[in-house]
Amino acid sequence: MATALGNRTHQRKGFAKRISTHLAAALVVFCLLQIGIVAKTGGSLVLHLGIIVAIGGYAVAARGLERRWQMLEQGGLSTSGLTVRFRRDVLQLWAASLLGALLWIPVAIIFRFLFG
């Protein structure tokens, strides 16, 4: 059994598959942060409906990023070129997910100020 495991070659996942994994994890973090922030700020039904719209927008953008990476992998770029683009896209993805969710803080404060 040890030789069977030892002989197995480790295949690295493609960039498109890896970006999909990051997108899924970032979407979960984005949703949980949004829900938590709106709940902590005493969010109303309107703010919760806004979360649904924001998640829908995130899903559309995520699908576009997945398509982009499918096309990039099919293109003739070198692995090092893909690696640089992948790291940049992952950094931007996580920054957008975290900062996008934190934008609910001023929205909730303004909403509470305007509508009590």
Side-chain angles (χ1 to χ4, degrees):
M1 182 159 163
T3 57
L5 292 175
N7 291 337
R8 185 172 41 166
T9 59
H10 176 67
Q11 287 216 337
R12 190 172 176 106
K13 289 195 286 185
F15 286 106
K17 189 89 163 156
R18 290 170 59 199
I19 201 75
S20 292
T21 303
H22 278 281
L23 283 167
L27 177 62
V28 169
V29 170
F30 181 71
C31 293
L32 291 175
L33 279 174
Q34 282 187 333
I35 292 167
I37 289 169
V38 169
K40 290 288 183 188
T41 57
S44 68
L45 179 62
V46 174
L47 290 176
H48 283 88
L49 292 174
I51 290 174
I52 294 170
V53 171
I55 293 170
Y58 184 98
V60 170
R63 184 61 189 135
L65 188 59
E66 281 182 327
R67 276 194 217 117
R68 175 178 182 262
W69 273 98
Q70 289 168 355
M71 288 188 289
L72 280 173
E73 272 195 335
Q74 293 171 357
L77 289 175
S78 66
T79 303
S80 62
L82 286 172
T83 301
V84 169
R85 285 174 175 78
F86 179 78
R87 287 181 182 159
R88 183 192 64 215
D89 281 358
V90 166
L91 181 65
Q92 290 174 349
L93 167 68
W94 281 103
S97 292
L98 296 173
L99 294 175
L102 294 177
L103 288 176
W104 281 106
I105 295 172
V107 169
I109 291 170
I110 292 169
F111 188 83
R112 181 182 280 173
F113 178 74
L114 293 176
F115 302 106

